[in-house]
Amino acid sequence: MAFVLALVLALPCAGEAAAADRRSGSDFMAPETRAMQADDMSNPAMLWVADGEQSWHRPEGAAGRACATCHGDATRSMRGVAARYPAFAEATGRPVDLSGRINLCRRTHQPAPPFASESRELLALTAYVAYQSRGMPIAPPQDPRLDPFRANGGALYERRIGQLDLSCAACHDARWGQQLGGSVIPQAHPTAYPLYRLEWQSVGSLQRRLRNCMVGVRAEPYAFGAPELVDLELFLMGRAGGMALETPGVRP
Amino acid sequence: MSRALVSVPTTARRGEVIEIRAMAAHLMETGHRTDATGTTIPRNIIHRFVCTYDGDEIFSAVLFPAIAANPFLAFTTTATTSGVIAFSWFGDDGSVQQATAEITVT
Amino acid sequence: MLHEVRAQPSIGPLRRREVLFAGALCIFGVALPRAALARPSLEDAIRSFTGGAAIQAGRVRLAIPPLVENGNTVGVTVAVDSPMTGADHVTRIGLFNEKNPQAEVAVFRLWPRAGRAQVSTRIRLATSQAVAAVVEMSDGSFWSSDASVIVTLAACIEDLS
């Protein structure tokens, strides 16, 4: 452990990590936490993935359709899908994240009331779909309609906020690898969401994590589902393009 | 909703010591936390776990609030005969979660 | 608070000193976490597990990381040097902590057919503290091992509201 920390602290930490230096948050974890993520029978997030698999096959709504009715076998039809989100949604004229897409699908095609943000059902189904892309490189869509929203996400990433007057970049670009309290500051690549945080003792979304960070710098967090949070995710997934998806991850 | 995941080898040689792992979805509310109004959130944990092999108890546990959420247990048994390994988690609220796995012993 | 005072073994009517003590508990009870007053010590909890029998050092290996990233989920493995035969096996493994609101963590029941005396679980540690594993053998002897764990706290923890 001491060796690992020393190694991390010795790395150069100035500026945004070049593509070759990009590291997943899992690289900064204790070996015990990495082992928990690596083994499906130890990874508590697999309880949510198993729930999501059941949900995939359950008919719902007025039409009595399950996800599987249209999409068939998720292990084939959903392979690679999460790696391409957020994506442009014609219905709203804006980017939508994977959970948002699931809820759009529910409303339009089942039709059934959307799951609440951060509900166990929504996290489980999102985790199950994203799990189908585990190990695949993040592949941000080249859709030009996304560009202004990605740019907005980048601007939000650089903007100083809160009583501590910190931007995302001030920690995750300028000081990654250094200690903040007892934790190592990671590079903020959303490679493993939804993921199980030991602190949460539950699976949660990237939006939950982003809101945590905002509370951490004493800023008013955006509401779940706010367009700003989706724009931030769009920017972060572009920044992490090519890195492997780890869903469902485990983090401290 | 699936509430438990168990891991048992599908096959084993007679006399082989096998590892069994079991994980159940549960908040394990300690009874020591308070909500936003200062009211104590009542304790609600899995307080007992039992594993049987063809009906015989092979491992059990009494659990306290210091067991982490989504309780994880790993233990061993000797493969004796082909049969069913059954798992039960007993909650404070009277609920019982159950799971089974089959093992073929050669 | 009254309940906790009553829970103390007492013989005969309360004497003045005991009444004063009860009063003091009530005053401090406002400011102190209830559990801090209520919990028995690590030693008391172990004594009620062993029934006061002597405990020997050795035979027990308690594997727990010395430094953990989050106290909510700490992996623990207890392994015991035992042949796990009908004549000589582990019957119970008790896991205890020093500073959580409750001293007990878990009690595991084993039989010879376990083949190996090894159990793993994940526990909660409210703060840096000692953890102890106490093992009862089929001959009635008790053996133990303990370890100290430093719990670091995450910098950006979620507000509880």
Side-chain angles (χ1 to χ4, degrees), chain C:
Chain C
M1 295 320 306
L2 196 54
H3 169 75
E4 278 151 21
V5 174
R6 277 182 181 158
Q8 308 290 324
S10 76
I11 301 163
L14 284 178
R15 286 172 299 174
R16 178 179 156 76
R17 193 176 51 180
E18 287 166 330
V19 173
L20 284 176
F21 179 60
L25 275 183
C26 287
I27 292 161
F28 285 117
V30 177
L32 287 175
R34 219 163 67 106
L37 294 170
R39 75 154 274 174
S41 69
L42 176 61
E43 293 73 20
D44 288 344
I46 291 175
R47 201 171 299 121
S48 63
F49 177 75
T50 61
I55 301 173
Q56 303 168 71
R59 292 186 73 174
V60 183
R61 289 187 309 279
L62 172 61
I64 188 166
L67 179 73
V68 299
E69 293 174 297
N70 193 297
N72 284 343
T73 311
V74 183
V76 185
T77 297
V78 182
V80 189
D81 294 327
S82 165
M84 292 307 278
T85 59
D88 183 3
H89 59 271
V90 171
T91 57
R92 289 192 301 155
I93 299 174
L95 210 50
F96 304 90
N97 70 75
E98 182 194 4
K99 290 179 180 170
N100 279 7
Q102 250 182 291
E104 297 89 351
V105 177
V107 177
F108 306 115
R109 178 80 174 91
L110 280 76
W111 280 266
R113 65 187 290 185
R116 225 175 17 239
Q118 181 169 318
V119 177
S120 300
T121 188
R122 294 177 187 151
I123 70 171
R124 291 170 168 151
L125 295 175
T127 184
S128 299
Q129 57 182 302
V131 174
V134 183
V135 175
E136 182 180 21
M137 302 292 184
S138 51
D139 66 0
S141 65
F142 286 89
W143 302 76
S144 81
S145 174
D146 53 43
S148 284
V149 182
I150 295 170
V151 178
T152 64
L153 293 177
C156 295
I157 55 170
E158 198 167 40
D159 61 339
L160 289 172
S161 59

